[in-house]
Amino acid sequence: MAAVLAERWSYERAQKRTAAALPEWTDQTLTQVAVAWVLSAVFVRVLEDRGLVAHRRIAGGDATDSERLFYEMFAGLGARDYLAAVFNEVAHAPVLRDLLGPSGNPAWKLGPSHAAVLELFKLLRDADATGALTWRFDDADTRFLGDLYQDLSAEVRERYALLQTPDFVERFILDRTLDPAVAEFGLAAVRVIDPTCGSGHFLLGSFQRIVGWMREARPADDLRDVALAALGRVYGSDINPYAVAIARFRLLLAYVELCGVTRIADAPALPPLTRNVVVADSLLLGGEGRAAHGRGLGCRVPGRMGAAAFDFVDPPAVSNVFHQRYHAVVGESAVHRVQRRRAAGDVSEGVSG
């Protein structure tokens, strides 16, 4: 595996996608994979707590019975194998295939130790004296996922200057960008992008506004059609893969809630979601006329497929996002986030990435 990672690093250095030395780059890559395991487990817990899956597999209800039965059926397998099986089961829902399945989830690239997964289970299953779970994820407001995004790794928080955008800032910016764009270009045409979307506050706010306007304009339309059309108007990118995963999941939950879906397996697939919210460095790709094979797109490594597995970028999807024009560009820059964090005494001088 060390040779595979070194091959991938050499490729990214040659493409000028990283200036990090091999040890630093390897740590960053492995952190992304580790975080993917944590986030995927939290995503499943969110679905469990909201009653969107038929069976609880991680915590509460019959989760421990399910795990015990798994070990009885597959002697010799451990906690990591059980959690991977859970991800695979939930990913059978069309709407979750790209988010939790092998095609789009970095967790499938490498596995943690069984002991590490047991520690994750211990945290997610923590309960008080009455048996009530300490951590609940059924709150309708998904901003807690943004808290998780910025607090998972101190090194990543410092590197990307992670800090959630306050609600009032989000509303202020959308009032002065998206609203005038709709007034000028029309609801039927408008497209909005956040090129540094983080955990997706501006994407979610834009989606909710567009849904509201569409429902006013076409009150007789089916809500699923309205939600799908609104998702098709919202685009985003971020250099951080797990930020993109959270943004996609938050949009997915908003879509499911709007459609009144009671079981995630019954929700239809969402083609715009994985094509419209992508992992990419918008500083490299945001210029007009960039070729789809440009250095920021993560072209496949020649030779062994192992090294290509550590490419977090989907070139066709990135090309889809950055080769069209938008009526509104929203977001909060890393510079602004650094300024806010410095004002709070929560960041050192300088930021990379």
Side-chain angles (χ1 to χ4, degrees):
M1 185 54 65
V4 171
L5 289 166
E7 182 181 352
R8 182 69 209 178
W9 169 78
S10 296
Y11 171 77
E12 295 206 358
R13 289 272 290 194
Q15 293 293 311
K16 302 186 184 302
R17 291 180 57 191
T18 182
L22 177 59
E24 180 187 359
W25 179 89
T26 299
D27 286 345
Q28 293 168 1
T29 300
L30 295 180
T31 295
Q32 292 291 347
V33 176
V35 167
W37 280 85
V38 175
L39 286 180
S40 298
V42 170
F43 292 165
V44 174
R45 272 294 317 272
V46 170
L47 299 174
E48 290 178 349
D49 288 359
R50 293 188 174 206
L52 289 169
V53 289
H55 303 284
R56 300 185 74 100
R57 302 299 193 195
I58 293 183
D62 55 358
T64 53
D65 291 337
S66 295
E67 186 180 5
R68 183 170 59 253
L69 179 61
F70 176 85
Y71 297 145
E72 290 174 357
M73 294 175 61
F74 305 102
L77 298 186
R80 179 186 62 220
D81 306 297
Y82 174 72
L83 187 54
V86 171
F87 296 161
N88 191 54
E89 177 189 38
V90 179
H92 274 86
V95 75
L96 288 168
R97 188 171 296 125
D98 291 331
L99 187 65
L100 290 177
S103 64
N105 187 356
W108 293 94
K109 300 179 186 298
L110 281 175
S113 67
H114 297 298
V117 175
L118 287 174
E119 287 298 311
L120 180 58
F121 282 160
K122 182 179 178 181
L123 174 65
L124 293 175
R125 292 170 175 171
D126 188 54
D128 62 21
T130 68
L133 292 170
T134 301
W135 305 105
R136 296 287 304 183
F137 302 101
D138 48 2
D139 194 328
D141 186 353
T142 56
R143 285 186 70 88
F144 72 88
L145 289 168
D147 293 329
L148 184 63
Y149 159 63
Q150 70 182 37
D151 293 337
L152 270 170
S153 167
E155 187 274 331
V156 172
R157 181 171 64 251
E158 184 76 10
R159 182 167 184 257
Y160 294 114
L162 305 186
L163 188 64
Q164 286 208 74
T165 303
D167 282 338
F168 76 90
V169 173
E170 174 204 314
R171 292 193 300 270
F172 178 87
I173 291 176
L174 290 178
D175 285 347
R176 286 154 180 78
T177 52
L178 181 57
D179 291 25
V182 171
E184 181 174 352
F185 300 103
L187 183 59
V190 74
R191 289 188 304 274
V192 58
I193 185 172
D194 182 350
T196 56
C197 68
S199 57
H201 293 326
F202 286 103
L203 302 185
L204 196 63
S206 299
F207 170 70
Q208 291 168 339
R209 289 191 184 210
I210 293 172
V211 164
W213 292 324
M214 285 185 169
R215 293 184 70 178
E216 289 180 3
R218 307 196 304 253
D221 284 7
D222 184 272
L223 275 178
R224 293 194 181 200
D225 295 335
V226 170
L228 196 60
L231 281 177
R233 309 287 182 169
V234 177
Y235 294 76
S237 71
D238 200 276
I239 197 172
N240 191 336
Y242 68 76
V244 171
I246 291 174
R248 288 173 175 172
F249 187 64
R250 295 182 71 196
L251 285 170
L252 181 151
L253 289 177
Y255 169 81
V256 166
E257 181 181 5
L258 183 66
C259 296
V261 172
T262 58
R263 284 285 187 265
I264 200 72
D266 298 330
L270 295 177
L273 203 53
T274 53
R275 285 188 58 78
N276 287 20
V277 185
V278 299
V279 180
D281 186 339
S282 57
L283 291 178
L284 292 179
L285 296 164
E288 183 178 359
R290 290 279 185 175
H293 50 76
R295 61 176 179 164
L297 284 181
C299 312
R300 298 300 176 188
V301 178
R304 293 195 303 273
M305 288 302 293
F310 289 94
D311 187 353
F312 297 106
V313 177
D314 178 358
V318 173
S319 179
N320 172 62
V321 169
F322 286 100
H323 286 76
Q324 60 180 310
R325 294 176 179 272
Y326 294 91
H327 305 90
V329 179
V330 299
E332 186 180 18
S333 70
V335 172
H336 186 216
R337 290 196 298 270
V338 169
Q339 291 171 341
R340 288 203 290 116
R341 290 186 62 197
R342 283 179 181 161
D346 188 36
V347 67
S348 60
E349 293 295 319
V351 60
S352 61

